[in-house]
């Protein structure tokens, strides 16, 4: 759905788009496009949002798998994708949104749930947090890993800290990621 929030006190419905056989799970926006991680069809849907009153499905990126993508982030001409049973970070070039292509896949770990971008790094969580250098999207490099007890489906990086929710213990981890080669657990709340 497209919602006008120019007046936050009265958000207004603008448009919606129905995607048949689709189960949207996660979303990233970059420029005039929205990228939807679709667990119903195991792909990434690409939506032209340049006119919020007329949303248009323009294509999809087939991930070549039977497991669903759980998290997608967009930066520049690239998408970064992980999924619960993917075991890898997928990077796709979307400079031509009508013809997206996967440019690299990097084995990370099992049970990947979420990722976030910060500068030249992707932080991926599941049963641990991995730091991945993406300065060369064709050759991502894992630079660090920090294990923790439990699992996570959300990570946010702000300044030099990663904030990771962990379940089933309902704990928030604060991790110093100022050094991409040595994440340090600072506290748990």
């Amino acid at each position: 759905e497209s919602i006008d929030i120019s007046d936050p006190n009265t958000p207004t419905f603008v448009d919606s788009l129905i995607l048949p056989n689709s189960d949207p799970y996660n979303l990233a926006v970059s420029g005039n496009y929205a990228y939807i991680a679709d667990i119903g069809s195991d792909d990434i849907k690409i939506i032209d949002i340049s006119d919020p009153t007329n949303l248009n499905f323009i294509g999809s990126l087939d991930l070549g798998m039977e497991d669903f993508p759980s998290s997608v982030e967009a930066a520049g001409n690239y998408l970064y994708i992980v999924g619960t049973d993917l075991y890898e970070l997928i990077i796709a070039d979307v400079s031509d949104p009508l013809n997206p292509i996967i440019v690299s896949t990097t084995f990370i770990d099992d049970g990947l749930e979420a990722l976030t971008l910060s500068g030249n790094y992707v932080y991926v969580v599941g049963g641990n947090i991995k730091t991945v250098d993406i300065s060369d999207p064709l050759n991502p490099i894992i630079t660090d890993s920090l294990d923790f007890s439990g699992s996570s489906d959300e990570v946010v990086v702000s300044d030099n800290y990663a904030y990771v929710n962990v379940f089933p213990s309902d704990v928030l981890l604060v991790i110093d990621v100022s050094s991409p080669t040595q994440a340090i657990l600072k506290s748990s709340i």
Side-chain angles (χ1 to χ4, degrees), residues 19-26 36-43 45 68-69:
L19 300 169
N21 302 316
S22 183
D23 190 2
Y25 191 77
N26 187 260
I36 300 172
D38 184 358
I39 62 175
S41 59
D42 303 324
D43 63 6
K45 299 281 192 271
F68 68 86

Side-chain angles (χ1 to χ4, degrees), residues 33 35 46 48 57-60 93-101:
Y33 299 96
Y35 304 95
I46 303 170
D48 181 342
F57 168 75
I58 62 166
S60 60
D93 182 336
V94 290
S95 55
D96 178 359
L98 295 174
N99 297 297
I101 57 170

Side-chain angles (χ1 to χ4, degrees), residues 165-180:
N165 75 313
V166 179
F167 58 86
S169 58
D170 293 328
V171 171
L172 175 67
L173 301 179
V174 180
I175 301 168
D176 182 341
V177 292
S178 58
S179 169

Side-chain angles (χ1 to χ4, degrees), residues 123 129 131 144 146 158-163 173-187:
Y123 298 88
I129 183 169
T131 305
D144 192 35
L146 177 67
S158 180
D159 297 323
N160 289 321
Y161 292 93
Y163 301 90
L173 301 179
V174 180
I175 301 168
D176 182 341
V177 292
S178 58
S179 169
T181 59
Q182 186 178 10
I184 300 169
L185 178 62
K186 295 305 258 185
S187 66

Side-chain angles (χ1 to χ4, degrees), residues 115-116 123 125 129 154-158 161-165 173:
L115 62 87
T116 193
Y123 298 88
V125 294
I129 183 169
E154 188 66 39
V155 58
V156 175
V157 172
S158 180
Y161 292 93
Y163 301 90
V164 179
N165 75 313
L173 301 179

Side-chain angles (χ1 to χ4, degrees), residues 3-160:
I3 300 173
D4 181 350
I5 58 169
S6 57
D7 180 355
N9 294 320
T10 56
T12 307
F13 173 82
V14 177
D15 192 25
S16 68
L17 181 66
I18 296 173
L19 300 169
N21 302 316
S22 183
D23 190 2
Y25 191 77
N26 187 260
L27 160 76
V29 173
S30 182
N32 290 325
Y33 299 96
Y35 304 95
I36 300 172
D38 184 358
I39 62 175
S41 59
D42 303 324
D43 63 6
I44 303 295
K45 299 281 192 271
I46 303 170
I47 312 298
D48 181 342
I49 59 170
S50 59
D51 178 359
T53 65
N54 187 25
L55 304 175
N56 285 303
F57 168 75
I58 62 166
S60 60
L61 172 63
D62 181 9
L63 300 176
M65 63 185 174
E66 294 183 18
D67 298 308
F68 68 86
S70 58
S71 188
V72 60
E73 291 282 339
N77 291 326
Y78 294 98
L79 293 182
Y80 303 87
I81 306 154
V82 296
T84 303
D85 296 321
L86 294 180
Y87 306 105
E88 56 198 9
L89 170 66
I90 297 172
I91 301 178
D93 182 336
V94 290
S95 55
D96 178 359
L98 295 174
N99 297 297
I101 57 170
I102 294 173
V103 296
S104 68
T105 57
T106 304
F107 177 80
I108 302 290
D109 208 343
D110 61 347
L112 303 176
E113 293 285 344
L115 62 87
T116 193
L117 302 170
S118 181
N120 286 328
Y121 295 92
V122 169
Y123 298 88
V124 182
V125 294
N128 56 35
I129 183 169
K130 301 264 192 208
T131 305
V132 184
D133 182 339
I134 55 164
S135 55
D136 178 0
L138 302 179
N139 297 295
I141 299 168
I142 299 171
T143 60
D144 192 35
S145 178
L146 177 67
D147 292 333
F148 48 78
S149 179
S151 190
S152 176
D153 62 359
E154 188 66 39
V155 58
V156 175
V157 172
S158 180
D159 297 323
N160 289 321

